[in-house]
Amino acid sequence: MSLTGQNPCTATFAGSCGFIGMTRALPTLGLLALLPLLQAGELTPLWLVPDQKIFADDFSQARELKALPAKSPAVGDWNPNQGTRWKIVDGVLRGEASSAEYQAAHETHKGVHPRIVLTRTPAEYVLKFSMRLVDGKPFVADQRRSIPPFIEIGHHIARVTWGVNGAMLLADGDTLQLDAAPSFGPKVGSWLTVLVERRADEVCVQFQDGPTFHGKHPSYRSDLHAVMLGGLEAGHLEIDDVTVWSVKSGEQPGWAAWLQQHPAPKEVRLREAKASAEPAPAAKK
């Protein structure tokens, strides 16, 4: 279901090319035609140049979402994680925590907050989607067991989440903070539109009317490239208007200037790195 009457993903890039990469070749009338997109503040890639649309889902068609082992050849586009329960309702994908029976049967990884894996992201891509934290237990940063929402780019590879330093971009198994936005908090009940760019050892994550996170770290080089989204503890999470593009070689013409204007902040080691105990959700090939 589109939030504006049309899918913002397909409208934003006017086909398979990013807006910034298009502007050099457009005549004046073409630029004028695209001004409404700029005025609306639509998200466009800062770094990578989209090529082909390889996946899109607006959840207009009801279907069963069945959780399968991550490496199963039958795993679907969306793979519910940790027993959490997902269904398509009113044109959106809506998830909730696992059942009380599931949680009672598991010592760890109980599925206390809705979380689901998008398996269709390749190694390099542009991804755009909308998400909404419908409800849930309020996240309290100084309480260790309080569960924050997150956007995970590769399982425990790159993650945008919330903690004592506000919103953070993490690396090195979620132990190293590369970027932060202390005043940006999860807003219950409001839709967030997000654009993710990933290539090699680098990621860029933009939030509509919010911060942009950028990070480059050796730990980002990984074969794990599925994307997982997580909501608030004991709450509901909704997802809509999802589009994935493959990317061309090269960069957007303004990327170098953007990097100069946004120098990397000092890294913050949150804790010592250690191997993950969770099985990794694999991306569909």
Side-chain angles (χ1 to χ4, degrees), residues 123-271:
E124 300 180 353
Y125 60 86
V126 171
L127 161 67
K128 190 174 182 182
F129 64 93
S130 294
M131 63 184 291
R132 181 166 74 124
L133 305 171
V134 179
D135 51 25
K137 293 183 179 179
F139 169 66
V140 182
D142 59 356
Q143 293 183 6
R144 185 181 64 84
R145 298 187 66 83
S146 187
I147 304 296
F150 64 82
I151 300 167
E152 186 176 70
I153 306 161
H155 194 50
H156 292 297
I157 304 302
R159 179 182 286 215
V160 174
T161 188
W162 281 264
V164 293
N165 296 328
M168 304 176 291
L169 172 63
L170 305 180
D172 203 12
D174 304 337
T175 66
L176 185 67
Q177 175 187 299
L178 299 187
D179 203 351
S183 62
F184 183 61
K187 298 179 180 179
V188 175
S190 298
W191 283 98
L192 282 173
T193 301
V194 187
L195 192 145
V196 177
E197 303 171 70
R198 183 188 183 186
R199 171 183 284 163
D201 62 350
E202 201 166 355
V203 301
C204 182
V205 182
Q206 298 181 66
F207 287 85
Q208 183 87 48
D209 301 321
T212 294
F213 298 91
H214 171 253
K216 184 178 177 67
H217 193 269
S219 68
Y220 284 171
R221 289 190 178 274
S222 172
D223 292 333
L224 305 177
H225 43 84
V227 171
M228 186 189 296
L229 305 177
L232 285 167
E233 182 178 354
H236 294 80
L237 173 65
E238 291 181 344
I239 301 168
D240 200 5
D241 294 322
V242 181
T243 308
V244 181
W245 292 265
S246 61
V247 295
K248 300 179 180 180
S249 60
E251 300 171 345
Q252 296 283 358
W255 179 240
W258 189 92
L259 288 176
Q260 288 184 342
Q261 296 168 7
H262 301 82
K266 183 179 179 180
E267 296 179 355
V268 178
R269 176 63 67 179
L270 303 176
R271 61 184 185 278

